[in-house]
mmCIF file of all heavy atoms in Angstrom:
data_model
loop_
_atom_site.group_PDB
_atom_site.id
_atom_site.type_symbol
_atom_site.label_atom_id
_atom_site.label_comp_id
_atom_site.label_asym_id
_atom_site.label_seq_id
_atom_site.Cartn_x
_atom_site.Cartn_y
_atom_site.Cartn_z
ATOM 1 N N GLN O 140 -70.895 -38.461 2.422
ATOM 2 C CA GLN O 140 -71.161 -37.041 2.649
ATOM 3 C C GLN O 140 -71.988 -36.456 1.504
ATOM 4 O O GLN O 140 -71.571 -35.523 0.815
ATOM 5 C CB GLN O 140 -69.836 -36.292 2.787
ATOM 6 C CG GLN O 140 -68.973 -36.812 3.923
ATOM 7 C CD GLN O 140 -67.656 -36.100 4.051
ATOM 8 O OE1 GLN O 140 -67.462 -35.012 3.513
ATOM 9 N NE2 GLN O 140 -66.719 -36.708 4.764
ATOM 10 N N PRO O 141 -73.167 -36.991 1.276
ATOM 11 C CA PRO O 141 -74.004 -36.480 0.187
ATOM 12 C C PRO O 141 -74.634 -35.140 0.547
ATOM 13 O O PRO O 141 -74.589 -34.696 1.700
ATOM 14 C CB PRO O 141 -75.068 -37.561 0.050
ATOM 15 C CG PRO O 141 -75.209 -38.104 1.438
ATOM 16 C CD PRO O 141 -73.817 -38.077 2.016
ATOM 17 N N LEU O 142 -75.246 -34.512 -0.440
ATOM 18 C CA LEU O 142 -75.990 -33.277 -0.257
ATOM 19 C C LEU O 142 -77.473 -33.594 -0.360
ATOM 20 O O LEU O 142 -77.928 -34.145 -1.374
ATOM 21 C CB LEU O 142 -75.589 -32.255 -1.320
ATOM 22 C CG LEU O 142 -76.392 -30.942 -1.345
ATOM 23 C CD1 LEU O 142 -76.237 -30.178 -0.043
ATOM 24 C CD2 LEU O 142 -75.982 -30.086 -2.537
ATOM 25 N N ILE O 143 -78.210 -33.230 0.685
ATOM 26 C CA ILE O 143 -79.660 -33.421 0.702
ATOM 27 C C ILE O 143 -80.289 -32.048 0.850
ATOM 28 O O ILE O 143 -80.094 -31.380 1.873
ATOM 29 C CB ILE O 143 -80.108 -34.325 1.867
ATOM 30 C CG1 ILE O 143 -79.242 -35.579 1.978
ATOM 31 C CG2 ILE O 143 -81.587 -34.663 1.750
ATOM 32 C CD1 ILE O 143 -79.363 -36.515 0.816
ATOM 33 N N GLU O 144 -81.037 -31.599 -0.154
ATOM 34 C CA GLU O 144 -81.614 -30.256 -0.118
ATOM 35 C C GLU O 144 -83.086 -30.295 -0.473
ATOM 36 O O GLU O 144 -83.496 -31.017 -1.393
ATOM 37 C CB GLU O 144 -80.905 -29.324 -1.112
ATOM 38 C CG GLU O 144 -79.562 -28.809 -0.665
ATOM 39 C CD GLU O 144 -79.023 -27.727 -1.601
ATOM 40 O OE1 GLU O 144 -79.482 -27.650 -2.764
ATOM 41 O OE2 GLU O 144 -78.157 -26.971 -1.167
ATOM 42 N N ASP O 145 -83.873 -29.508 0.267
ATOM 43 C CA ASP O 145 -85.281 -29.264 -0.072
ATOM 44 C C ASP O 145 -86.062 -30.556 -0.248
ATOM 45 O O ASP O 145 -86.888 -30.694 -1.166
ATOM 46 C CB ASP O 145 -85.369 -28.412 -1.345
ATOM 47 C CG ASP O 145 -84.704 -27.066 -1.173
ATOM 48 O OD1 ASP O 145 -85.156 -26.286 -0.326
ATOM 49 O OD2 ASP O 145 -83.699 -26.811 -1.864
ATOM 50 N N CYS O 146 -85.824 -31.495 0.650
ATOM 51 C CA CYS O 146 -86.492 -32.785 0.572
ATOM 52 C C CYS O 146 -87.490 -32.963 1.705
ATOM 53 O O CYS O 146 -87.438 -32.269 2.724
ATOM 54 C CB CYS O 146 -85.466 -33.922 0.586
ATOM 55 S SG CYS O 146 -84.405 -33.964 -0.881
ATOM 56 N N ARG O 147 -88.394 -33.942 1.530
ATOM 57 C CA ARG O 147 -89.353 -34.327 2.555
ATOM 58 C C ARG O 147 -89.212 -35.820 2.777
ATOM 59 O O ARG O 147 -89.317 -36.612 1.838
ATOM 60 C CB ARG O 147 -90.789 -34.002 2.125
ATOM 61 C CG ARG O 147 -91.042 -32.521 1.865
ATOM 62 C CD ARG O 147 -90.980 -31.712 3.167
ATOM 63 N NE ARG O 147 -91.238 -30.308 2.953
ATOM 64 C CZ ARG O 147 -90.310 -29.404 2.734
ATOM 65 N NH1 ARG O 147 -89.034 -29.767 2.661
ATOM 66 N NH2 ARG O 147 -90.623 -28.134 2.571
ATOM 67 N N VAL O 148 -88.979 -36.191 4.062
ATOM 68 C CA VAL O 148 -88.849 -37.596 4.424
ATOM 69 C C VAL O 148 -89.939 -37.876 5.441
ATOM 70 O O VAL O 148 -89.903 -37.344 6.566
ATOM 71 C CB VAL O 148 -87.451 -37.897 5.007
ATOM 72 C CG1 VAL O 148 -87.321 -39.377 5.323
ATOM 73 C CG2 VAL O 148 -86.348 -37.455 4.047
ATOM 74 N N ARG O 149 -90.912 -38.710 5.107
ATOM 75 C CA ARG O 149 -92.098 -38.816 5.953
ATOM 76 C C ARG O 149 -92.717 -40.212 5.898
ATOM 77 O O ARG O 149 -92.442 -40.993 4.993
ATOM 78 C CB ARG O 149 -93.126 -37.775 5.530
ATOM 79 C CG ARG O 149 -93.585 -37.888 4.085
ATOM 80 C CD ARG O 149 -94.280 -36.616 3.625
ATOM 81 N NE ARG O 149 -94.837 -36.769 2.288
ATOM 82 C CZ ARG O 149 -95.279 -35.752 1.534
ATOM 83 N NH1 ARG O 149 -95.191 -34.503 2.004
ATOM 84 N NH2 ARG O 149 -95.787 -35.958 0.338
ATOM 85 N N TYR O 150 -93.512 -40.486 6.932
ATOM 86 C CA TYR O 150 -94.320 -41.709 7.031
ATOM 87 C C TYR O 150 -93.482 -42.975 7.048
ATOM 88 O O TYR O 150 -93.979 -44.055 6.697
ATOM 89 C CB TYR O 150 -95.351 -41.797 5.893
ATOM 90 C CG TYR O 150 -96.154 -40.535 5.694
ATOM 91 C CD1 TYR O 150 -96.313 -39.977 4.422
ATOM 92 C CD2 TYR O 150 -96.739 -39.868 6.776
ATOM 93 C CE1 TYR O 150 -97.034 -38.815 4.233
ATOM 94 C CE2 TYR O 150 -97.465 -38.699 6.584
ATOM 95 C CZ TYR O 150 -97.601 -38.181 5.321
ATOM 96 O OH TYR O 150 -98.309 -37.025 5.130
ATOM 97 N N GLY O 151 -92.220 -42.870 7.426
ATOM 98 C CA GLY O 151 -91.417 -44.078 7.562
ATOM 99 C C GLY O 151 -91.748 -44.800 8.861
ATOM 100 O O GLY O 151 -92.142 -44.188 9.856
ATOM 101 N N SER O 152 -91.561 -46.113 8.860
ATOM 102 C CA SER O 152 -91.890 -46.870 10.063
ATOM 103 C C SER O 152 -90.745 -46.870 11.073
ATOM 104 O O SER O 152 -90.918 -47.298 12.214
ATOM 105 C CB SER O 152 -92.245 -48.314 9.687
ATOM 106 O OG SER O 152 -91.121 -48.956 9.100
ATOM 107 N N TRP O 153 -89.543 -46.401 10.683
ATOM 108 C CA TRP O 153 -88.407 -46.335 11.603
ATOM 109 C C TRP O 153 -87.896 -44.904 11.605
ATOM 110 O O TRP O 153 -88.663 -43.949 11.577
ATOM 111 C CB TRP O 153 -87.342 -47.353 11.168
ATOM 112 C CG TRP O 153 -86.300 -47.654 12.215
ATOM 113 C CD1 TRP O 153 -86.499 -47.893 13.533
ATOM 114 C CD2 TRP O 153 -84.886 -47.715 12.003
ATOM 115 N NE1 TRP O 153 -85.315 -48.119 14.179
ATOM 116 C CE2 TRP O 153 -84.292 -48.026 13.263
ATOM 117 C CE3 TRP O 153 -84.063 -47.571 10.889
ATOM 118 C CZ2 TRP O 153 -82.920 -48.179 13.435
ATOM 119 C CZ3 TRP O 153 -82.693 -47.724 11.042
ATOM 120 C CH2 TRP O 153 -82.126 -48.028 12.315
ATOM 121 N N HIS O 154 -86.580 -44.678 11.613
ATOM 122 C CA HIS O 154 -86.042 -43.320 11.517
ATOM 123 C C HIS O 154 -86.357 -42.729 10.145
ATOM 124 O O HIS O 154 -86.354 -43.444 9.136
ATOM 125 C CB HIS O 154 -84.526 -43.324 11.692
ATOM 126 C CG HIS O 154 -84.062 -43.906 12.994
ATOM 127 N ND1 HIS O 154 -84.692 -43.680 14.191
ATOM 128 C CD2 HIS O 154 -82.995 -44.721 13.272
ATOM 129 C CE1 HIS O 154 -84.049 -44.315 15.159
ATOM 130 N NE2 HIS O 154 -83.024 -44.966 14.632
ATOM 131 N N GLY O 155 -86.562 -41.408 10.128
ATOM 132 C CA GLY O 155 -86.712 -40.756 8.836
ATOM 133 C C GLY O 155 -85.402 -40.756 8.077
ATOM 134 O O GLY O 155 -85.309 -41.285 6.970
ATOM 135 N N ILE O 156 -84.357 -40.139 8.675
ATOM 136 C CA ILE O 156 -83.012 -40.125 8.081
ATOM 137 C C ILE O 156 -82.072 -40.784 9.083
ATOM 138 O O ILE O 156 -82.048 -40.425 10.269
ATOM 139 C CB ILE O 156 -82.558 -38.696 7.775
ATOM 140 C CG1 ILE O 156 -83.506 -38.047 6.749
ATOM 141 C CG2 ILE O 156 -81.128 -38.685 7.247
ATOM 142 C CD1 ILE O 156 -83.182 -36.591 6.449
ATOM 143 N N PHE O 157 -81.303 -41.765 8.599
ATOM 144 C CA PHE O 157 -80.406 -42.561 9.444
ATOM 145 C C PHE O 157 -78.996 -42.413 8.899
ATOM 146 O O PHE O 157 -78.754 -42.672 7.717
ATOM 147 C CB PHE O 157 -80.862 -44.023 9.415
ATOM 148 C CG PHE O 157 -80.043 -44.960 10.248
ATOM 149 C CD1 PHE O 157 -79.706 -44.645 11.559
ATOM 150 C CD2 PHE O 157 -79.616 -46.184 9.734
ATOM 151 C CE1 PHE O 157 -78.963 -45.518 12.340
ATOM 152 C CE2 PHE O 157 -78.871 -47.061 10.511
ATOM 153 C CZ PHE O 157 -78.537 -46.725 11.811
ATOM 154 N N VAL O 158 -78.060 -41.939 9.762
ATOM 155 C CA VAL O 158 -76.693 -41.632 9.329
ATOM 156 C C VAL O 158 -75.736 -42.482 10.151
ATOM 157 O O VAL O 158 -75.784 -42.461 11.387
ATOM 158 C CB VAL O 158 -76.382 -40.137 9.525
ATOM 159 C CG1 VAL O 158 -75.006 -39.794 8.942
ATOM 160 C CG2 VAL O 158 -77.454 -39.269 8.874
ATOM 161 N N THR O 159 -74.849 -43.211 9.481
ATOM 162 C CA THR O 159 -73.938 -44.117 10.186
ATOM 163 C C THR O 159 -72.511 -43.983 9.686
ATOM 164 O O THR O 159 -72.268 -43.628 8.532
ATOM 165 C CB THR O 159 -74.376 -45.585 10.005
ATOM 166 O OG1 THR O 159 -74.352 -45.918 8.606
ATOM 167 C CG2 THR O 159 -75.760 -45.827 10.557
ATOM 168 N N GLY O 160 -71.557 -44.288 10.601
ATOM 169 C CA GLY O 160 -70.147 -44.392 10.239
ATOM 170 C C GLY O 160 -69.365 -43.128 10.488
ATOM 171 O O GLY O 160 -69.867 -42.010 10.320
ATOM 172 N N SER O 161 -68.112 -43.299 10.864
ATOM 173 C CA SER O 161 -67.272 -42.156 11.219
ATOM 174 C C SER O 161 -66.949 -41.264 10.033
ATOM 175 O O SER O 161 -66.516 -40.129 10.218
ATOM 176 C CB SER O 161 -65.970 -42.662 11.850
ATOM 177 O OG SER O 161 -65.273 -43.509 10.955
ATOM 178 N N SER O 162 -67.140 -41.758 8.802
ATOM 179 C CA SER O 162 -66.912 -40.929 7.607
ATOM 180 C C SER O 162 -68.185 -40.244 7.142
ATOM 181 O O SER O 162 -68.158 -39.503 6.148
ATOM 182 C CB SER O 162 -66.340 -41.781 6.465
ATOM 183 O OG SER O 162 -65.080 -42.310 6.810
ATOM 184 N N ALA O 163 -69.275 -40.476 7.820
ATOM 185 C CA ALA O 163 -70.541 -39.877 7.410
ATOM 186 C C ALA O 163 -70.593 -38.419 7.844
ATOM 187 O O ALA O 163 -70.378 -38.097 9.021
ATOM 188 C CB ALA O 163 -71.707 -40.644 8.013
ATOM 189 N N GLN O 164 -70.863 -37.528 6.912
ATOM 190 C CA GLN O 164 -70.986 -36.100 7.204
ATOM 191 C C GLN O 164 -71.884 -35.455 6.156
ATOM 192 O O GLN O 164 -71.452 -34.637 5.340
ATOM 193 C CB GLN O 164 -69.619 -35.429 7.206
ATOM 194 C CG GLN O 164 -69.631 -33.972 7.695
ATOM 195 C CD GLN O 164 -70.047 -33.867 9.127
ATOM 196 O OE1 GLN O 164 -69.284 -34.137 10.029
ATOM 197 N NE2 GLN O 164 -71.296 -33.511 9.355
ATOM 198 N N PRO O 165 -73.152 -35.814 6.114
ATOM 199 C CA PRO O 165 -74.022 -35.245 5.085
ATOM 200 C C PRO O 165 -74.329 -33.785 5.350
ATOM 201 O O PRO O 165 -74.404 -33.350 6.503
ATOM 202 C CB PRO O 165 -75.290 -36.095 5.196
ATOM 203 C CG PRO O 165 -75.314 -36.530 6.627
ATOM 204 C CD PRO O 165 -73.875 -36.740 7.004
ATOM 205 N N ASP O 166 -74.494 -33.013 4.291
ATOM 206 C CA ASP O 166 -75.062 -31.670 4.373
ATOM 207 C C ASP O 166 -76.541 -31.809 4.050
ATOM 208 O O ASP O 166 -76.912 -32.186 2.929
ATOM 209 C CB ASP O 166 -74.390 -30.736 3.365
ATOM 210 C CG ASP O 166 -73.088 -30.172 3.890
ATOM 211 O OD1 ASP O 166 -72.971 -30.009 5.112
ATOM 212 O OD2 ASP O 166 -72.189 -29.922 3.070
ATOM 213 N N ILE O 167 -77.384 -31.492 5.037
ATOM 214 C CA ILE O 167 -78.829 -31.639 4.884
ATOM 215 C C ILE O 167 -79.447 -30.260 5.061
ATOM 216 O O ILE O 167 -79.361 -29.664 6.143
ATOM 217 C CB ILE O 167 -79.391 -32.637 5.910
ATOM 218 C CG1 ILE O 167 -78.656 -33.976 5.789
ATOM 219 C CG2 ILE O 167 -80.883 -32.821 5.711
ATOM 220 C CD1 ILE O 167 -79.063 -35.004 6.816
ATOM 221 N N ARG O 168 -80.030 -29.735 4.006
ATOM 222 C CA ARG O 168 -80.514 -28.355 3.999
ATOM 223 C C ARG O 168 -81.985 -28.300 3.623
ATOM 224 O O ARG O 168 -82.426 -28.994 2.702
ATOM 225 C CB ARG O 168 -79.708 -27.506 3.013
ATOM 226 C CG ARG O 168 -78.198 -27.539 3.240
ATOM 227 C CD ARG O 168 -77.463 -26.865 2.100
ATOM 228 N NE ARG O 168 -76.018 -27.003 2.238
ATOM 229 C CZ ARG O 168 -75.154 -26.728 1.266
ATOM 230 N NH1 ARG O 168 -75.587 -26.292 0.078
ATOM 231 N NH2 ARG O 168 -73.849 -26.873 1.462
ATOM 232 N N ARG O 169 -82.715 -27.456 4.344
ATOM 233 C CA ARG O 169 -84.131 -27.198 4.052
ATOM 234 C C ARG O 169 -84.904 -28.500 3.827
ATOM 235 O O ARG O 169 -85.734 -28.611 2.931
ATOM 236 C CB ARG O 169 -84.250 -26.280 2.825
ATOM 237 C CG ARG O 169 -83.592 -24.921 3.014
ATOM 238 C CD ARG O 169 -83.705 -24.055 1.778
ATOM 239 N NE ARG O 169 -83.081 -24.662 0.614
ATOM 240 C CZ ARG O 169 -81.772 -24.625 0.357
ATOM 241 N NH1 ARG O 169 -80.935 -24.010 1.194
ATOM 242 N NH2 ARG O 169 -81.289 -25.204 -0.730
ATOM 243 N N THR O 170 -84.618 -29.471 4.648
ATOM 244 C CA THR O 170 -85.231 -30.798 4.538
ATOM 245 C C THR O 170 -86.033 -31.084 5.797
ATOM 246 O O THR O 170 -85.592 -30.794 6.909
ATOM 247 C CB THR O 170 -84.148 -31.856 4.311
ATOM 248 O OG1 THR O 170 -83.588 -31.661 2.997
ATOM 249 C CG2 THR O 170 -84.697 -33.262 4.410
ATOM 250 N N TRP O 171 -87.216 -31.683 5.611
ATOM 251 C CA TRP O 171 -88.129 -31.939 6.707
ATOM 252 C C TRP O 171 -88.324 -33.436 6.876
ATOM 253 O O TRP O 171 -88.590 -34.150 5.911
ATOM 254 C CB TRP O 171 -89.476 -31.256 6.465
ATOM 255 C CG TRP O 171 -89.352 -29.765 6.506
ATOM 256 C CD1 TRP O 171 -88.775 -28.973 5.555
ATOM 257 C CD2 TRP O 171 -89.760 -28.894 7.552
ATOM 258 N NE1 TRP O 171 -88.807 -27.656 5.944
ATOM 259 C CE2 TRP O 171 -89.417 -27.573 7.163
ATOM 260 C CE3 TRP O 171 -90.410 -29.100 8.759
ATOM 261 C CZ2 TRP O 171 -89.686 -26.472 7.961
ATOM 262 C CZ3 TRP O 171 -90.690 -28.005 9.548
ATOM 263 C CH2 TRP O 171 -90.327 -26.696 9.155
ATOM 264 N N SER O 172 -88.179 -33.862 8.120
ATOM 265 C CA SER O 172 -88.439 -35.258 8.454
ATOM 266 C C SER O 172 -89.620 -35.273 9.424
ATOM 267 O O SER O 172 -89.520 -34.731 10.530
ATOM 268 C CB SER O 172 -87.200 -35.892 9.093
ATOM 269 O OG SER O 172 -87.419 -37.247 9.376
ATOM 270 N N GLN O 173 -90.714 -35.899 9.018
ATOM 271 C CA GLN O 173 -91.908 -35.798 9.837
ATOM 272 C C GLN O 173 -92.769 -37.045 9.742
ATOM 273 O O GLN O 173 -92.765 -37.757 8.733
ATOM 274 C CB GLN O 173 -92.737 -34.569 9.445
ATOM 275 C CG GLN O 173 -93.208 -34.548 8.009
ATOM 276 C CD GLN O 173 -93.768 -33.211 7.597
ATOM 277 O OE1 GLN O 173 -93.103 -32.430 6.919
ATOM 278 N NE2 GLN O 173 -95.002 -32.942 7.995
ATOM 279 N N ASN O 174 -93.463 -37.302 10.854
ATOM 280 C CA ASN O 174 -94.410 -38.409 10.939
ATOM 281 C C ASN O 174 -93.759 -39.758 10.693
ATOM 282 O O ASN O 174 -94.387 -40.686 10.152
ATOM 283 C CB ASN O 174 -95.570 -38.210 9.958
ATOM 284 C CG ASN O 174 -96.366 -36.954 10.260
ATOM 285 O OD1 ASN O 174 -96.277 -35.970 9.522
ATOM 286 N ND2 ASN O 174 -97.126 -36.958 11.349
ATOM 287 N N ASN O 175 -92.500 -39.891 11.102
ATOM 288 C CA ASN O 175 -91.828 -41.184 11.053
ATOM 289 C C ASN O 175 -91.978 -41.889 12.396
ATOM 290 O O ASN O 175 -92.165 -41.250 13.433
ATOM 291 C CB ASN O 175 -90.361 -41.000 10.694
ATOM 292 C CG ASN O 175 -90.186 -40.378 9.320
ATOM 293 O OD1 ASN O 175 -90.459 -41.000 8.298
ATOM 294 N ND2 ASN O 175 -89.751 -39.113 9.276
ATOM 295 N N GLY O 176 -91.841 -43.223 12.379
ATOM 296 C CA GLY O 176 -92.152 -43.992 13.566
ATOM 297 C C GLY O 176 -91.153 -43.852 14.685
ATOM 298 O O GLY O 176 -91.501 -44.032 15.852
ATOM 299 N N ASN O 177 -89.894 -43.523 14.400
ATOM 300 C CA ASN O 177 -88.879 -43.395 15.431
ATOM 301 C C ASN O 177 -88.277 -42.002 15.345
ATOM 302 O O ASN O 177 -89.013 -41.018 15.292
ATOM 303 C CB ASN O 177 -87.829 -44.497 15.279
ATOM 304 C CG ASN O 177 -87.199 -44.877 16.605
ATOM 305 O OD1 ASN O 177 -86.403 -44.128 17.148
ATOM 306 N ND2 ASN O 177 -87.576 -46.035 17.137
ATOM 307 N N ASP O 178 -86.956 -41.858 15.332
ATOM 308 C CA ASP O 178 -86.339 -40.535 15.292
ATOM 309 C C ASP O 178 -86.540 -39.874 13.933
ATOM 310 O O ASP O 178 -86.524 -40.546 12.884
ATOM 311 C CB ASP O 178 -84.836 -40.639 15.559
ATOM 312 C CG ASP O 178 -84.528 -41.152 16.955
ATOM 313 O OD1 ASP O 178 -85.435 -41.145 17.807
ATOM 314 O OD2 ASP O 178 -83.373 -41.558 17.186
ATOM 315 N N GLY O 179 -86.647 -38.543 13.963
ATOM 316 C CA GLY O 179 -86.686 -37.822 12.694
ATOM 317 C C GLY O 179 -85.365 -37.913 11.961
ATOM 318 O O GLY O 179 -85.316 -38.260 10.779
ATOM 319 N N LEU O 180 -84.271 -37.599 12.671
ATOM 320 C CA LEU O 180 -82.916 -37.751 12.138
ATOM 321 C C LEU O 180 -82.088 -38.423 13.224
ATOM 322 O O LEU O 180 -82.041 -37.946 14.362
ATOM 323 C CB LEU O 180 -82.295 -36.405 11.767
ATOM 324 C CG LEU O 180 -82.966 -35.601 10.662
ATOM 325 C CD1 LEU O 180 -83.869 -34.533 11.253
ATOM 326 C CD2 LEU O 180 -81.924 -34.949 9.752
ATOM 327 N N ASN O 181 -81.434 -39.518 12.865
ATOM 328 C CA ASN O 181 -80.661 -40.275 13.841
ATOM 329 C C ASN O 181 -79.282 -40.557 13.284
ATOM 330 O O ASN O 181 -79.149 -41.057 12.157
ATOM 331 C CB ASN O 181 -81.364 -41.591 14.170
ATOM 332 C CG ASN O 181 -80.567 -42.456 15.128
ATOM 333 O OD1 ASN O 181 -79.594 -43.098 14.733
ATOM 334 N ND2 ASN O 181 -80.989 -42.499 16.376
ATOM 335 N N ALA O 182 -78.246 -40.222 14.072
ATOM 336 C CA ALA O 182 -76.872 -40.550 13.697
ATOM 337 C C ALA O 182 -76.331 -41.591 14.666
ATOM 338 O O ALA O 182 -76.654 -41.582 15.850
ATOM 339 C CB ALA O 182 -76.000 -39.304 13.706
ATOM 340 N N ASP O 183 -75.484 -42.482 14.151
ATOM 341 C CA ASP O 183 -74.953 -43.567 14.965
ATOM 342 C C ASP O 183 -73.536 -43.875 14.508
ATOM 343 O O ASP O 183 -73.078 -43.421 13.448
ATOM 344 C CB ASP O 183 -75.845 -44.809 14.826
ATOM 345 C CG ASP O 183 -75.712 -45.758 16.009
ATOM 346 O OD1 ASP O 183 -74.829 -45.527 16.859
ATOM 347 O OD2 ASP O 183 -76.499 -46.717 16.076
#
Side-chain angles (χ1 to χ4, degrees):
Q140 301 179 17
L142 174 62
I143 313 294
E144 283 189 340
D145 299 298
C146 294
R147 299 291 181 267
V148 182
R149 59 196 186 193
Y150 311 131
S152 63
W153 196 45
H154 302 320
I156 298 176
F157 181 47
V158 186
T159 61
S161 59
S162 297
Q164 188 64 77
D166 277 330
I167 305 176
R168 305 171 186 167
R169 299 179 300 279
T170 291
W171 293 73
S172 182
Q173 60 192 102
N174 298 108
N175 298 290
N177 209 287
D178 296 344
L180 297 98
N181 177 283
D183 203 352

